[in-house]
Amino acid sequence: MTIKYDFLIVGAGLYGAIFAHEATKAGKTCLIIDKRNHIGGNIYTEKIEDIQVHKYGAHIFHTNNQEVWEYVNQFAEFNRYTNSPVANYRGEIYNLPFNMNTFNKMWGVVTPDEARKKIEEQRSANYVEHPQNLEEQAINLVGMDIYEKLIRGYTEKQWGRPCHELPAFIIRRLPVRFTYDNNYFNADYQGIPIGGYTAMIDKMIEGIDVKLNTDYLVEKSKWDRIANKVVYTGPIDAYFDYMFGVLEYRSVRFETEILNTPNFQGNAVVNYTDRETPYTRVIEHKHFEFGKQPKTVVSREYSVEWKLGDEPYYPVNDRKNSELYQKYKAMTETQSNVIFGGRLAEYKYYDMDNVVEFALQKAKEVLRNM
Ligand code: FAD
């Protein structure tokens, strides 16, 4: 006999887990399936050398939304980690985001007035009335020194193209801070779940049926028969069998290594902003949790071209892809029993707090009407 569920949830990531939790709390039955061999989606963490390793890139929870913060705190206790990345430019270390510490190191200025004056001087020296590319735009915003040392190489590695060939719109603003404050997100609430994100997701989906290593799209009609409604959090173009074409992404490759030292770089996140170093960042995972283990685990991040079949990370929000997404979005109207949600189904970069907020909203809306 086939079990019939109220919801089939495709994707055991944050969106799917929250939806499943809320539906179960409301008395509905759920089955979660995921094509990966683990739960958690991209926020998955795995213990290596007693250190929680962020397998799909560093994840720092930050939000200004109190409701979202209280919601996630039901499932995990968060530590006091505050993201304060540093930039390494050919061995010179600068604090990020651009703030008084950065300006002091760059130019020796001490007061906010001195820093403002220096930036103004730098901007006006090379000002271009109508910036035609990212390089001109960045120099207009912060001047040559910051552009050369902290923006140029990093951005070129991220996009795989020289800055003067990249469109100006990629950088609309470059926040500069005239305080000695290295808190990158400046959010009301910030931290990392003690014990890792996987444990947090595990708690969310406690008691719910989960089937891993299961690709929904391989036997879609079989899975559709198992539930009254489907919550789909996979790529939207894949759902519609790429009928209008493939949505593009930028991808990231991680090289993870265990090192026989208790402290490799003294900080969780170090950005390499020169052009020559092939990777963009080095993450030392133990510093997210103030680890005292005898060894350390580091991940070097390489920004790479994406092709179908690779792990999709960052949607490319240019005109071509946005128009393509709109076509798929219109198609979702034809699928009355399917709820599309999360970063892949909505083809949008969402921080985790957005995902929590939207998954909760959607669950409320759907459950109210059942
Ligand atoms: P996902 O986590 O991708 O979950 C979707 C799941 O669906 C996946 O497990 C996938 O395997 C599964 N799936 C897809 N297709 C199928 C199928 N056909 N059948 C079965 N299963 C399927 N946010 C922050 O707030 N702070 C950060 O510091 C931060 N850092 C980030 C760093 C990087 C490099 C990236 C790319 C993102 C970062 N984010 C961060 C964003 C965060 O990762 C997302 O908000 C979150 O993971 C989205 O959850 P989701 O459930 O929508 O998607």
Side-chain angles (χ1 to χ4, degrees), residues 10-17 33-36 38-43 56-62 83 185 197 214-218 232-235 238 252 254 281 301 311-314 341-345 349-355:
V10 181
L14 187 59
Y15 192 100
I33 60 172
D34 202 297
K35 63 181 180 185
R36 291 177 178 170
H38 59 74
I39 59 166
N42 270 18
I43 67 173
Y56 300 88
H59 277 78
I60 300 124
F61 200 96
H62 56 97
N83 196 29
F185 292 120
Y197 287 98
T214 305
D215 189 332
Y216 164 71
L217 295 174
V218 171
Y232 179 79
T233 72
V252 188
F254 301 100
R281 308 199 295 180
E301 290 187 12
E311 207 55 70
Y313 280 100
Y314 297 104
R343 68 178 193 107
L344 297 166
Y349 178 86
Y350 283 137
D351 273 327
M352 290 179 277
D353 61 331
N354 303 132
V355 172

Side-chain angles (χ1 to χ4, degrees), residues 7 26 28 360-370:
F7 290 101
K28 307 295 177 199
L360 279 174
Q361 252 171 31
K362 185 53 90 177
K364 226 184 245 168
E365 180 192 315
V366 172
L367 292 165
R368 201 189 306 123
N369 298 325
M370 276 179 82

